[in-house]
Amino acid sequence: MLRPIPRAVSTAIPTTNLSTRWLYARFSSSVASAQPQVIFSGIQPTGVPHLGNYLGALRQWVKLQNEAPPNATILYSIVDLHAITIRQDPVQLRQWRREMLASLLSVGLDPKRSIIFYQSDVAAHSELMWILSCYASVGYLSRMTQWKSKLALPENTSPLDPSTKTKLKLGLFSYPVLQAADILVHRATHVPVGADQSQHLEFARECANSFNHNFQHVLVPPETILSPAKRVMSLTRPHLKMSKSHEDPKSRILITDSREEISRKINSALTDSVAGVTYDPLNRPGVSNLIHIMYHLDETIADSCEALAGDCRDLSLRAFKERVIDAVDEQLKSVRIKYEELMQPNNDHLLSDISDEGSRKASANANATMSLVRGALGL
């Protein structure tokens, strides 16, 4: 017989340069006494991830996988239902899903240790979203930033504005509810995210606490694990975040780029005409972004971005870019080789088997939660 799940420990986690080993040491006694840790995170299927995705999320996922206690459950989802909040070409979306799965395996996620699955294969995500939607506040959702940024609207925009109502689709507006369901349906105790997603974790906690207040204490309010890597900026427009949405492909480095492609993109990266290398994000954003990339690729080379800049201060920008090229290629070489191997036609069955097994495990985990939710609601 299933028993109600106890609430997660609510001790706040520091949000600066979090060591995963420190995290598990700190929570091993308190969390273990209530329930084993469950780590969940998701990424949209936008094809091959770029360097910002890798440094901001994927490398952290691998560290969490490798350093988690043996009894921790780790789930990583390719959130394809989130992707369709904007119109997608079906053929392209299908290919992007496959490319993202191969990418996750290439960076070091192990399907024998982590549950890797497509969100749309686990129906419980959508079922819990509907249930949470019945209790989610429209006022709270109207203050969320996701739908405003997707539609390029001002922060003070209301969903009831006449000009907004014609553009805004319900799926985009209720995106945070599905994101909350993704987390809560697996009883996640910890969720690794970037700083720009912390608002969505607050909403997930709000959904869990609201449900638990009105019904039984079934859902687990998750804790946030903020990635220690800050945002990686565009190579061509360093005041903007590196993104697939930028028209210029030279603005981003994909984790599968060849050395030649990496060299071409970094050599054409926007810098300035100032001699030498200094770390000054305000006045030298392009140079500082390259320092930032190089430092976070291997933090053993210097104590900080400022220290790394000091080590490189006498280099010409051309010589400095060559050093950045070497650092990026060295980090991504093994990822590129693994990805090319997985994307061979003879490995189609391998990718399918991994996604099928991941979906089976994720469904079993989510269905256990839904049995409790349905029982609490009287369904």
Side-chain angles (χ1 to χ4, degrees), residues 78-276:
I78 298 171
V79 288
D80 45 7
L81 293 177
H82 287 296
I84 62 172
T85 55
I86 58 175
R87 183 162 298 189
Q88 303 283 352
D89 174 77
V91 175
Q92 185 180 65
L93 179 58
R94 191 171 294 112
Q95 177 67 12
W96 280 354
R97 283 170 22 117
R98 183 169 176 264
E99 290 175 354
M100 183 58 75
L101 176 58
S103 297
L104 297 185
L105 299 172
S106 299
V107 301
L109 292 184
D110 182 358
K112 294 180 180 178
R113 181 65 184 97
S114 298
I115 301 172
I116 306 167
F117 66 101
Y118 294 120
Q119 176 192 30
S120 61
D121 285 347
V122 181
H125 285 248
S126 301
E127 181 182 358
L128 184 58
M129 182 209 177
W130 172 250
I131 291 170
L132 296 177
S133 296
C134 294
Y135 304 95
S137 164
V138 171
Y140 199 126
L141 288 171
S142 69
R143 295 190 294 272
M144 303 293 279
T145 59
Q146 183 76 23
W147 63 273
K148 298 173 187 177
S149 62
K150 288 286 186 181
L151 297 177
L153 296 171
E155 282 296 311
N156 61 351
T157 302
S158 166
L160 301 180
D161 291 344
S163 60
T164 303
K165 287 192 292 185
T166 58
K167 301 177 185 178
L168 181 59
K169 307 301 181 185
L170 178 58
L172 180 58
F173 184 68
S174 59
Y175 181 105
V177 186
L178 178 56
Q179 195 169 49
D182 295 337
I183 297 164
L184 300 178
V185 80
H186 293 291
R187 305 181 299 283
T189 59
H190 297 87
V191 182
V193 295
D196 57 348
Q197 289 291 314
S198 58
Q199 184 187 45
H200 292 278
L201 264 294
E202 288 297 332
F203 181 74
R205 282 189 282 271
E206 172 71 18
C207 288
N209 289 327
S210 176
F211 186 93
N212 291 342
H213 177 75
N214 289 290
F215 302 99
Q216 300 175 25
H217 290 292
V218 169
L219 300 178
V220 176
E223 298 291 347
T224 302
I225 304 175
L226 282 182
S227 170
K230 297 180 181 178
R231 296 189 303 174
V232 176
M233 310 308 284
S234 164
L235 297 178
T236 55
R237 303 175 70 186
H239 61 289
L240 298 175
K241 185 178 176 181
M242 186 176 285
S243 172
K244 287 282 192 71
S245 63
H246 296 171
E247 293 182 1
D248 188 352
K250 291 189 293 184
S251 69
R252 56 191 172 270
I253 295 172
L254 303 182
I255 65 171
T256 57
D257 278 348
S258 66
R259 181 180 176 87
E260 292 72 23
E261 290 169 319
I262 293 168
S263 177
R264 177 171 51 85
K265 291 176 179 180
I266 290 179
N267 278 324
S268 64
L270 181 65
T271 51
D272 52 49
S273 58
V274 179

Side-chain angles (χ1 to χ4, degrees), residues 13-24 37 39-43 49-69 73-76 103-104 106-110 113-114 190-195 223-230 232 255 296-297 299 331-332 335:
I13 296 177
T15 57
T16 56
N17 292 334
L18 197 62
S19 162
T20 51
R21 291 192 186 279
W22 176 87
L23 168 73
Y24 293 120
Q37 296 172 37
I39 299 167
F40 174 90
S41 198
I43 188 169
H50 55 66
L51 191 61
N53 301 135
Y54 176 70
L55 291 177
L58 301 183
R59 194 169 64 167
Q60 173 83 335
W61 289 11
V62 176
K63 287 182 180 180
L64 288 168
Q65 167 194 268
N66 295 341
E67 298 176 3
T73 300
I74 306 167
L75 304 105
Y76 295 126
S103 297
L104 297 185
S106 299
V107 301
L109 292 184
D110 182 358
R113 181 65 184 97
S114 298
H190 297 87
V191 182
V193 295
E223 298 291 347
T224 302
I225 304 175
L226 282 182
S227 170
K230 297 180 181 178
V232 176
I255 65 171
H296 281 295
L297 283 170
E299 295 180 3
Q331 183 74 217
L332 297 183
V335 175

